[in-house]
Amino acid sequence: MVTVADCERVQASWFRARAEVLGGEVWSDGPLEWVDGPDGQTLMFPRSLPADAVARGVERAKRRGAGSVGVWLSAEVDAGPLAEAGFERGWSPWWMTAPIAELEGGVDPRIELQLDSDDYGGQFADYRAQLALARLPVPRAWYAAAYDGGSRRFAGRAWSFLDGQSAGVFDMAVWEPFRRRGLGSGLLRAVCAAAGRAGARHAVLNATPEGKLLYSKCGFTQIGTGITWWLHLP
């Protein structure tokens, strides 16, 4: 049975992999594991929060000129040291899971698994570098792009990432003009099927209230919640 701890493990593994592949950093300070990757400096699911270790992490972020520091936290962990350090409670991940076998469906010709992309430019040009994750020698991550059926305009994207027998679904989005056309479910099936062929048995993800509607229709069940905390730096 998939648990919230499994969801947290896959989430942390995804953050670490992105930092390691894309030139970021991962380091430990006592019970704290920090990740500095594409999403900035983030503390991943500590079981305790020593105030001095939290302060050292914040000081490092300040020296780097970071705009914020994020913390992903299990619901049962005492967040008092974060509040005392000036962090503010943020949004709650809704942890959901589904068996990969139950997500299988027909191939949607509007969805493509890709190893590289020309879809990103301008202020989004840096995103293309993340597709290096899809080109690892031993495949662990899969990227899918969605295109409008008529104009072939870039309409959305999604990732899956394999950790053991679980596949995390990440960064899934369909741009506003293309929603309610089945592209979200097509992306979800494509990246989960790719991970399934590599050995994944279950898919896990964290959902927003809006996203939960789609994931529930596709067979996902919510198994718990978490919490994020954020410190916004001057």
Side-chain angles (χ1 to χ4, degrees), residues 11-31:
Q11 186 83 17
S13 183
W14 168 246
F15 271 60
R16 284 194 300 270
R18 294 167 79 213
E20 291 165 353
V21 172
L22 301 171
E25 285 188 80
V26 179
W27 72 97
S28 296
D29 185 354

Side-chain angles (χ1 to χ4, degrees), residues 196-212:
R197 290 190 289 272
R201 296 182 60 188
H202 295 88
V204 299
L205 54 83
N206 72 84
T208 62
E210 181 181 9
K212 182 181 177 181

Side-chain angles (χ1 to χ4, degrees), residues 95-135:
W95 298 116
M96 304 186 74
T97 184
I100 292 281
E102 295 183 12
L103 299 176
E104 294 178 355
V107 175
D108 189 331
R110 302 172 299 173
I111 310 299
E112 297 179 8
L113 291 171
Q114 298 178 343
L115 300 178
D116 201 354
S117 173
D118 293 323
D119 292 322
Y120 298 99
Q123 62 179 315
F124 305 107
D126 289 347
Y127 194 92
R128 182 179 182 180
Q130 297 194 36
L131 271 80
L133 287 154
R135 301 190 296 271

Side-chain angles (χ1 to χ4, degrees), residues 15 34 45 57 106 110 119 142 176 182 203 228 230 234:
F15 271 60
W34 293 95
F45 304 107
R110 302 172 299 173
D119 292 322
W142 296 268
E176 181 66 40
T228 60
W230 301 92

